[in-house]
Every structure is written in structure tokens, then in C-alpha cells.
Amino acid sequence: MIDVLLVDDHTIFRSGVQRLLLDESDIRVTSEASNGVEALDQIRHRRFDVVLLDINMEGRNGLDVLASIRHAQPGLPVLMLSMYPEEQYALVAVQGGAAGYVAKDAEAAELALAIRKVAAGGQYLSARAAPLVRDQLQGKDERPAHQRLTVREHQIMLMMLKGMSLTEIGEEMLISVKTVSTHRTNIFEKLGVASTAELVLYAVRQGMIH
């Protein structure tokens, strides 16, 4: 039996995933968490075979939580879930240590397949995402600028888009405000924006936020 920890800040979505997986005889959601703090606490005290982790959560985003899971339990497979398309975050997730990436609009059969694959020690990317990630790793990268940020830059960008201050981001990520400021400067330069307001506008135009 594959025991799954489901981490998502939307109760309705967690309930939906639970129902989808009830038909799978070898997979069960044995626990849930609504944020990174709860998830890490459970990982430290319970055994799981796979973590299903949403990227876009309140507080610490999924990419940041992924880094903490990798530190706490290096061998625990993490399958990222996201409302964003694969070309937007699949490579960033894999580079951050995720075992796979599944879009939230995927069919139940695909989710179950992905869970089984990463639980067995493999990596899962959809048929659409796999060639995109391969091309990106080989330097054939035609993605827009925000999809070419580093994992840490992605984490900070997501926090900025949630309205967090540099101080709050530093405290959340356990880094200095000066380091956060340096990352912010790099993000602005790479995206061609000059302020947080322009960053938000860029994110809206790219469909990253609504």
C-alpha cells in the first residue's frame, strides 16, 4: 500500500483528491496538511511513501516547502501538484528535487500512475512535459523569462506576488534581508520590470495570477 500525505491549502481540493484515489486499491491518503508547517511536522513524526504537494499555497509556497522536505527526508518522493501548466514550473520543480509534476486538471488515472511511479523510485512527467523539460535541460530553452528563474528566485517571486515584504520573506526563508534584496534585483532584471507593481502586472499578463 502506498501511503500518501496530501498538502494543499484548499479543503475542497483535498477532499476531491481523496475521492479520486478511493478507487485505487494500492493507494491511500493517510493524512492531510493545509500548509508547509503542518506538512513538515507530520513528515518528522510519521512515515509516508509519497507527498503530494501544491505549489501555490498561503504562507510558504510549495517550492520552499519542497526544499525543507528534501532536507528533512531526502529519500521521500515529492510529487508536485499545480494549477499552472507544466512548461511553467515542471523544470523548476524537478531542479528543486521533486520526483514529478502533475497539473491539477489531470485525469485521475494519470495522478494514480504518477504516484505509483514516484513511489517506486522513478520520476514522473506527463507526455507533454517530458520533451519540454528535456529540451530545457539541453539548452533549447524558449520559455518566457519568468520560467527561467532559479528555484530560489521562483520562491521569492511567488512570495512577492503574495504581497510579502522583504523582511517577511527573509524570515520565512531563513536568509538575510540583504540576500532577499539581491534576489529581487536579479528577478527584476531578468523579467525586465522595475518595481513590484510591474512584477504583478507581468504576472497577470503571463497568467501566473488572476
Side-chain angles (χ1 to χ4, degrees), residues 49-164:
D49 298 301
V50 174
V51 177
L52 293 182
L53 176 61
D54 183 28
I55 286 182
N56 189 29
M57 297 189 297
E58 292 296 326
R60 297 182 67 188
N61 67 75
L63 293 172
D64 188 27
V65 176
L66 171 64
S68 296
I69 294 174
R70 292 274 59 79
H71 178 74
Q73 295 282 355
L76 178 59
V78 178
L79 185 61
M80 303 301 293
L81 294 170
S82 179
M83 60 183 286
Y84 304 118
E86 293 102 326
E87 62 267 23
Q88 195 155 334
Y89 283 116
L91 177 60
V92 175
V94 170
Q95 289 177 326
Y101 185 99
V102 177
K104 282 189 172 182
D105 60 358
E107 297 292 334
E110 181 182 357
L111 177 59
L113 172 65
I115 291 172
R116 293 187 184 101
K117 191 164 185 178
V118 301
Q123 185 181 75
Y124 181 82
L125 292 170
S126 70
R128 179 172 179 272
L132 291 172
V133 171
R134 183 178 61 250
D135 287 348
Q136 291 159 11
L137 290 172
Q138 293 175 349
K140 304 172 184 176
D141 197 345
E142 299 179 353
R143 296 173 299 165
H146 66 278
Q147 293 177 19
R148 288 182 268 120
L149 297 175
T150 67
V151 172
R152 177 56 61 89
E153 288 167 352
H154 262 278
Q155 294 170 340
I156 291 174
M157 177 186 69
L158 292 175
M159 292 181 181
M160 291 174 63
L161 290 173
K162 289 181 178 180
M164 295 176 66

Side-chain angles (χ1 to χ4, degrees), residues 60 164-177 180:
R60 297 182 67 188
M164 295 176 66
S165 68
L166 298 188
T167 299
E168 290 171 332
I169 293 172
E171 291 174 349
E172 189 73 35
M173 302 188 76
L174 302 178
I175 57 178
S176 69
V177 174
V180 178

Side-chain angles (χ1 to χ4, degrees), residues 5 37 59 78 106 115 127 169 182 205 207 209:
L5 169 63
V37 174
V78 178
I115 291 172
I169 293 172
T182 298
R205 288 173 174 169
I209 58 176

Side-chain angles (χ1 to χ4, degrees), residues 6 8-19 32-34:
L6 175 59
D8 191 285
D9 57 354
H10 292 94
T11 304
I12 293 176
F13 179 77
R14 296 199 307 272
S15 298
V17 172
Q18 284 257 33
R19 287 195 297 272
E32 301 178 12
S34 61

